[in-house]
């Protein structure tokens, strides 16, 4: 029988560490969408959040636990610092899950002990077993992480891990918190743990790492060769600073190079048994969903899921691929769920054709959502001859997967050109239902629109990113605009798609402002609840 030691456990932390990326904040509904997609993808564990961090995080973990944490679904995990209040709150949030895990952590590097925790090594050796045992009093599945393990004294690390396992930790996770180690160092660290922690056979070794030097995935693969059996990763590699190890890169490396990795898991090289439980055909869809909901754009040359990952530009390459794909392709685009036939619908396509294409693309829409999306599809089809899968995805994401419309764009008009002063007029419907119109001039049309919107919404903010991407090639392409703005040290993103990039720019900006407005309203509610 296959045991977890025979294959690699995929622990997804998109909803916890990934959501810590500046501006990637998701609301509960969006987190549920991601969690459902992760379950469909086949991840073994979903780290759904940090329940003690905020009421919103608590609610998200609880809802993911009850809706996705079914008997045959993934284990649902909640993060907790090594304190009783954190652990108790995590246990409470996880209650609805059939399979639950508490992930508790405490730093072990001297830098963290001295400057952040102001604790001695002896204190850490006391707290860790106490808190692991406390977590075990709620659940059978407890993961312990010595934060900043990558910069910790290995001898001290071995001691801490031994006490954690003795106290009941079933997984010990080794984080390279600051993305500092190199592959051979990280591999040696895992080997050292395997060789020196006397009770290591009673726990799964997991790894967690950040991509500050672009080495996270390479480090993890070296860790697998040395005994790690759980990989903590995120979709598109999103996460703190430079992000986490990317799930799609790890999974496809293990998939494409299975013969190379098999012996490290005690299998013959030619074994065709998959090394992970992931349904690789769901990778692309999940990547797009996460990118659209978080507003974290995937760079075109990103491995596996970037727009260019399977494109061959040079003549020599194109010629080779036409003769035999193997000349320049190490994996098939279809293996990550990309369909070959991209051109599907047009102006004359009906509602049923639209609905069935949506289903093929993995979108499950309610009747109301389908109606809204179909109206947009018809509008786009009037302007654009061929509607590709990319266009359909952009339409659905723009129309359906968005924060609630608090301020609504009723009208946007600009006048610009090389001999006039860019001027914009906007009409917005306010949360109170009032229609307000204002106008402004700017350095360009988009600047003018944003200034006009700001005059109505009146929440001071700093625009930190504005980007436009074409969904498909051609002059009639849909343009996707992504906005990131900062308010009070927090980043909020907005995303919109339209064949008119001026309209898309206005809508994206308003969506980011709506997120900011919801957060400010939410903070007011939490404040008044705490007062009462
Ligand atoms: O990067 C890190 O060390 C973490 C821990 C909480 C596992 O995210
Ligand atoms: Zn992390």
């Amino acid at each position: 029988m296959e045991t977890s030691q025979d294959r690699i456990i995929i622990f997804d932390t998109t909803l916890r560490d990934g959501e810590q990326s500046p501006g990637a904040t998701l609301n509960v509904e969006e987190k549920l969408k991601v969690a459902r997609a992760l379950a469909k993808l086949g991840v073994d564990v979903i780290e759904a959040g940090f329940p003690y961090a905020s009421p919103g995080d608590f609610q998200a973990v609880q809802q993911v636990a009850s809706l996705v944490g079914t008997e045959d679904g993934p284990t649902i995990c909640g993060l907790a610092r090594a304190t009783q209040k954190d652990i108790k709150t995590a246990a409470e949030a996880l209650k609805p899950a059939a399979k639950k895990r508490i992930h508790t952590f405490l730093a072990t590097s001297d830098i963290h002990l001295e400057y952040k925790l102001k604790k001695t090594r002896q204190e850490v050796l006391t707290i860790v077993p106490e808190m692991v045992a406390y977590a075990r009093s709620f659940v059978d599945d407890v993961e312990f992480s010595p934060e900043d393990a990558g910069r910790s004294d290995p001898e001290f690390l071995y001691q801490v891990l031994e006490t954690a396992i003795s106290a009941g930790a079933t997984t010990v996770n080794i984080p390279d918190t600051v993305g500092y180690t190199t592959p051979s160092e990280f591999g040696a660290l895992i080997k050292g743990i395997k060789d020196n922690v006397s009770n290591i056979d009673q726990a799964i070794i997991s790894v967690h790492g950040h991509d500050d030097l672009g080495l996270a995935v390479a480090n993890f693969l070296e860790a697998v060769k040395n005994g790690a059996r759980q990989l903590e990763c995120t979709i598109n590699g999103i996460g703190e600073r430079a992000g986490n190890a990317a799930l799609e890169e790890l999974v496809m490396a293990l998939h494409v190079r299975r013969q190379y990795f098999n012996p490290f898991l005690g299998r013959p090289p030619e074994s065709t048994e998959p090394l992970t439980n992931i349904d690789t055909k769901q990778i692309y869809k999940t990547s797009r969903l996460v990118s659209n909901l978080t507003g974290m754009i995937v760079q075109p040359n990103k491995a596996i899921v970037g727009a260019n990952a399977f494109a061959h530009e040079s003549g020599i390459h194109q010629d080779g691929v036409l003769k035999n794909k193997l000349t320049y392709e190490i994996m098939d685009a279809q293996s990550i769920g990309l369909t070959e036939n991209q051109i599907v619908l047009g102006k004359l396509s009906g509602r049923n054709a639209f609905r069935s294409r949506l289903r093929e693309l993995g979108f499950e829409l309610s009747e109301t959502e389908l109606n809204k999306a179909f109206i947009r599809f018809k509008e786009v089809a009037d302007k654009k001859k061929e509607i590709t899968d990319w266009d359909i995805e952009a339409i659905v994401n723009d129309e359906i997967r968005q924060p609630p419309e608090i301020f609504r764009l009723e009208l946007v008009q600009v006048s610009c050109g090389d001999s006039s002063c860019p001027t914009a007029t906007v009409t917005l419907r306010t949360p109170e239902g009032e229609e307000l119109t204002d106008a402004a001039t700017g350095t360009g049309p988009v600047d003018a629109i944003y200034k006009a919107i700001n005059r109505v919404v009146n929440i001071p903010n700093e625009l930190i990113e504005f980007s436009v991407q074409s969904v498909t090639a051609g002059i009639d392409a849909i343009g996707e605009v992504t906005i990131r703005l900062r308010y009070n040290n927090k980043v909020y993103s907005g995303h919109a798609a339209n064949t008119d990039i001026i309209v898309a720019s206005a809508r994206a900006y308003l969506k980011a402002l709506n997120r900011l407005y919801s957060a400010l309203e939410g903070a007011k509610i939490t404040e008044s609840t705490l007062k009462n």
Side-chain angles (χ1 to χ4, degrees), residues 16-17 79 103 105 145 147-148 173 175-177 208 210 232:
R16 199 278 297 170
D17 212 321
L79 184 71
H103 175 192
F105 69 99
S145 291
E147 193 190 4
D148 204 15
N173 177 47
D176 181 15
T177 303
H208 177 108
H210 287 265
E232 298 203 355

Side-chain angles (χ1 to χ4, degrees), residues 193-209:
I193 289 167
K194 253 194 114 71
D195 292 346
N196 293 290
V197 176
S198 67
N199 50 5
I200 197 67
D201 56 333
Q202 292 164 38
I204 304 270
I205 303 179
S206 165
V207 286
H208 177 108

Side-chain angles (χ1 to χ4, degrees), residues 296-311:
M296 304 281 291
I297 295 172
V298 174
Q299 80 205 45
N301 60 326
K302 162 88 177 60
I304 318 293
V305 290
N308 294 349
F310 292 92

